Amino acid sequence: PNKCQYERNLAQGTANVHCPAMAFEFKTAPFDHQREIFEKTRELEAYALFWEMGCGKTKPTIDTIADLYEKVKIDAVLVVAPNGVHRNWITDELPVHMVDRVMDKTKTMFWTTSKSGNKSHASEFKRLVQHDGLSILTISYQGLMSGNGKKAVWEFLKNRRCFYVLDESHHVKTPKAKRTRAILASGKYAAYRRILTGTPGDKPFDFYSQVKFLAPEIWHKHQLGNFYAFKAYFGVWRTRAEAQRTMGYDPGYDALLDYKNLDKLNNIISGISDRVLKDDVLDLPPKLYTKRYFDMTPKQSSMYNQLRDELQLELENGLVIDGSMAIVRLLRLQQITCGYAVADSDEPIEMCDTKNPRLEAAVDFFSGLNHQAIIWARFQHDVTQLVEALGEDAVRYDGQVDDDTCARNKQAFNAGDVQFFVGNP
């Protein structure tokens, strides 16, 4: 009966009329917490999943997208995510979780900033905007801030009825940042909004921008119309004048002493969000795997393609390659993607003059963790790069340090004195 009523609404042009939830056929069976949140939020305009990494935030989001599309409430999806993660939505998550009946009507595109000026890239985006079905665009936070990326996002939002997702939304927790302001402005044009992150922030102030994206008027409703009012209400401050009066000098800024009214903040946030920790979810598998993508620099790509073509030519010319030779060739290709090559002297030759895309992608991922982690790296130079990038938060455990240092580093990690243990398996 519910389905028949919905179809009558659709025929009459009133499909947005609320009707009781229809049964939804999943492509992949949800875990209990995923099914529960899907049923609870499937028709809500805005919601936040503050689920710890590994709890499966993406699946109920994709199921909600399919459900809303079939109810003719959306015809597009915009996902903004860290670089590489935005590609993962298209290549890994959607094919696994999106129901086939919707996937068959879906056109997808992940935005590549380095190619955004190409005619083929522009044509692909134009076809996406004009697609007669569900259009899905994913773009990185950096890509959105580029000139072409920002124009594309605005065009997409203004021409489609969008479901807007911020994946790892803690990237927009700073109110004054240009990235945050751009995303808050664009969010108002979306019919539905979701934010996903396992680390919403370690300070109450980190919630302001993320929640404002979800519900632009929410802070106004609580007489907290701007970030200054928000900080004054939830923070205990020593003003410059008070410091001058009590301490005899002006520090040049107001000092945060403590937080207050956190019960009210929790009540506001809990009304539009859900928090799940791994320890709370008993039916999760022991391990979940995700991929991170990155774009090599032009120099890396050139060397990688040259070596790949040389190896293919050898095969075409009849060269017989045994197992050890194949391993060496794969090793060289992997080193190039790592950002360096090893010459006869065994000293690594750096191939990234200004930045190492793979290292940046890794550090960006690790910065979102709020717990300890073990990082396995294949090459010693990888360990060196990671330890240098992570600084005092990391210790190394490989052949480059002596036994006593290895023991001390292991003890420091076990004691919780450092966050990252970087080693070679």
Side-chain angles (χ1 to χ4, degrees), residues 81-338:
N83 192 31
V85 178
H86 74 297
R87 186 184 305 189
N88 190 64
W89 274 77
I90 303 297
T91 58
D92 293 69
E93 301 294 350
L94 285 166
V96 171
H97 299 300
M98 179 65 81
V99 292
D100 294 335
R101 61 186 182 273
V102 174
M103 199 67 196
D104 291 341
K105 303 173 184 177
T106 299
K107 182 174 180 57
T108 64
M109 177 182 181
F110 60 83
W111 187 265
T112 305
T113 304
S114 60
K115 298 179 181 178
S116 60
N118 298 348
K119 290 183 178 179
S120 59
H121 196 275
S123 297
E124 182 183 0
F125 175 71
K126 183 177 181 179
R127 290 192 295 271
L128 183 75
V129 175
Q130 298 175 346
H131 174 62
D132 184 19
L134 180 63
S135 295
I136 300 180
L137 173 67
T138 66
I139 187 170
S140 69
Y141 286 102
Q142 297 96 318
L144 184 141
M145 293 309 297
S146 66
N148 289 334
K150 190 176 295 185
K151 290 178 182 177
V153 165
W154 279 105
E155 182 178 352
F156 195 68
L157 286 167
K158 291 179 180 179
N159 286 280
R160 310 288 299 210
R161 187 165 175 79
C162 277
F163 184 99
Y164 196 160
V165 181
L166 296 186
D167 195 1
E168 299 194 21
S169 60
H170 54 272
H171 284 77
V172 296
K173 65 185 181 182
T174 307
K176 292 183 179 181
K178 291 182 179 179
R179 171 194 300 173
T180 301
R181 296 202 301 268
I183 287 177
L184 291 183
S186 63
K188 299 176 183 178
Y189 290 83
Y192 294 85
R193 292 171 295 278
R194 295 292 187 272
I195 60 175
L196 317 177
T197 181
T199 54
D202 55 2
K203 303 180 183 67
F205 299 160
D206 293 341
F207 288 93
Y208 178 81
S209 296
Q210 296 179 73
V211 173
K212 188 174 182 180
F213 168 82
L214 280 183
E217 302 301 321
I218 190 169
W219 300 125
H220 283 278
K221 292 179 180 178
H222 295 277
Q223 288 75 52
L224 302 171
N226 56 54
F227 190 47
Y228 297 103
F230 184 90
K231 290 196 298 181
Y233 187 77
F234 293 111
V236 179
W237 300 87
R238 181 172 59 227
T239 66
R240 296 172 59 184
E242 290 172 338
Q244 181 70 53
R245 185 174 64 254
T246 60
M247 303 170 63
Y249 72 96
D250 180 359
Y253 57 88
D254 295 344
L256 177 66
L257 303 179
D258 202 353
Y259 298 105
K260 62 181 180 180
N261 300 319
L262 297 185
D263 53 342
K264 181 173 181 178
L265 179 62
N266 183 64
N267 289 336
I268 295 172
I269 294 174
S270 62
I272 57 171
S273 69
D274 186 63
R275 178 65 167 161
V276 172
L277 304 177
K278 278 187 178 180
D279 293 341
D280 301 330
V281 187
L282 300 180
D283 60 342
L284 278 180
K287 291 182 181 180
L288 290 176
Y289 297 89
T290 60
K291 298 177 183 177
R292 290 279 175 145
Y293 296 90
F294 63 93
D295 293 317
M296 290 187 288
T297 66
K299 183 177 180 180
Q300 282 179 287
S301 295
S302 176
M303 183 172 288
Y304 188 96
N305 292 336
Q306 179 182 347
L307 180 57
R308 179 199 61 196
D309 293 343
E310 289 175 357
L311 300 182
Q312 289 178 341
L313 184 61
E314 288 179 352
L315 291 175
E316 292 171 0
N317 290 337
L319 178 66
V320 178
I321 297 179
D322 61 20
S324 61
M325 295 171 67
I327 290 174
V328 171
R329 283 157 169 75
L330 285 173
L331 182 71
R332 294 293 176 258
L333 291 172
Q334 288 178 333
Q335 286 178 334
I336 292 173
T337 64
C338 291

Side-chain angles (χ1 to χ4, degrees), residues 5-21:
Q5 180 61 52
Y6 175 72
E7 290 176 344
R8 285 195 294 272
N9 291 338
L10 180 60
Q12 297 167 5
T14 57
N16 286 335
V17 173
H18 175 73
C19 60

Side-chain angles (χ1 to χ4, degrees), residues 369-374 412-421:
L369 301 182
N370 58 1
H371 54 74
Q372 286 186 293
I374 297 174
F413 181 75
N414 287 337
D417 297 332
V418 293
Q419 185 177 5
F420 300 109
F421 179 95

